[in-house]
Amino acid sequence: MIRTQVGIVGAGPAGLMLSHLLAQHGIESVVLEARAREYVEKRLRAGVLEYDTVNLLTETGVGERLAREGLVHRGLELRYGGQGHRIALDELTGGRTITVYGQQEVVKDLIAARLAAGGTIEFEVSDVDVHDIDTDAPRLTYRTGAGTAEEIRCDVIAGCDGSHGVCRDAIPAGVLTAYEKVYPFAWLGVLAQAPPSSEELIYTFHERGFALHSMRSPSVTRLYLQVPPEEDLGAWSDDRIWSELSTRMSTSDGEWKLAEGPILERGITGLRSFVSEPMRYGRLFLAGDATHIVPATGAKGLNLAVADVRVLARGLAEFYASGSTARLDSYSATCLRRVWRVQHFSWWMTSMLHRAYDGDEFGERLRLSQLDYVTSSRAAAVTLAENYVGLPFD
Ligand SMILES: Cc1cc2nc3c(=O)[nH]c(=O)nc-3n(C[C@H](O)[C@H](O)[C@H](O)COP(=O)(O)OP(=O)(O)OC[C@H]3O[C@@H](n4cnc5c(N)ncnc54)[C@H](O)[C@@H]3O)c2cc1C
């Protein structure tokens, strides 16, 4: 039997960041992770860090490699009708920027920091079960990688186990309300060994569908194509992928060229908006994808997970310092305010930039009108920019 203050399920950005922030307050935690360390350190997902996410990582001592290798972006491009329109993120937000740095790199840095500080992360656990969350002595039971049955007794459990975890399901039926929207399209994403063809991200709206040009480093490009949700990945040869990307992202002057290279990874991911409320039941607190999902268009999933655990860490710090539960009691309401803002932004970006497959020409005109407004009105551009770089944490 292991005794700790906070039992954390999941070593994704939410669980690792929570453990890291708690350690800064002298609060002990144990992190349980179903996958192997090598797997979570290589799992390719998000790559855009908001301004305050970068600041938080830096202020808490895990920003050294990020400062060296992260790519700071001061703007992004919206491309439609064959023309590019730059949104100057920094000018529109008083100097705030985004940093391109892969989620797997954030995870690597956090694991290294926790282990160097003597923190405990148990990888390759199985059969994790959550008990007694409606008491002040909750427990976690699980099997280690070697198959031994273990138990953790703690004061609080943090469910940071992503969208397919077990923590949310431990809450009794009828407590949670779920809100969900599934989009009628998906993203075919590729990682390519090719230098970025632009210094900034390009979000393209084209009559054949959305395309996104992003990057991971000066030699690796990340590219996405809107496809139908039931699309067969096998139907997409390398040539077809490059040709479709070039067509959708081409400019009217014919000047823009997409650099090609070997495709290192590819996959199709559906787009979904989901929120489960509240984010707490008894001594179980849910954070990150365990309680909300955003479509990737707004680049918010990782950032929202970090924002949640920052609120949770402060609540737990107050609880252990003074016994007050005031911040913990407002955890769910505080987080949900940001969650719904981010949900709206992600839905708005998704709706503006994707072509409907239902032949709705009225909707198509609205999308073009919205793009025209965002690229010609400073007020509209500020709205996009301040949400994209992330609203201030406080
Ligand atoms: C394929 C994919 C692509 C994405 N692309 C983008 C993107 O381009 N931009 C963007 O902003 N966001 C993207 N996201 C979203 C972003 O990656 C997530 O929002 C972010 O990872 C949330 O962090 P988290 O810690 O809450 O959850 P996760 O990162 O999912 O971490 C949860 C952890 O819990 C572990 N776990 C699960 N069940 C158990 C269990 N029973 N016991 C122990 N451990 C368990 C998992 O192995 C995992 O390590 C993407 C997500 C996916 C799935």
Side-chain angles (χ1 to χ4, degrees), residues 303-334:
N303 295 292
L304 203 49
V306 169
D308 286 349
V309 297
R310 178 178 167 277
V311 176
L312 184 52
R314 294 174 111 187
L316 289 166
E318 183 185 72
F319 173 65
Y320 282 113
S322 68
S324 165
T325 61
R327 276 180 190 259
L328 288 181
D329 293 341
S330 59
Y331 167 72
S332 182
T334 304

Side-chain angles (χ1 to χ4, degrees), residues 16 19-20 23 27 29 31 109-121:
L16 291 168
S19 180
H20 174 65
I27 300 169
S29 63
V31 181
D109 294 346
L110 286 168
I111 290 176
R114 285 310 297 127
L115 297 181
T120 307
I121 307 170

Side-chain angles (χ1 to χ4, degrees), residues 74 225 248 333 394:
R74 299 175 199 291
L225 285 168
R248 292 191 195 181
D394 283 318

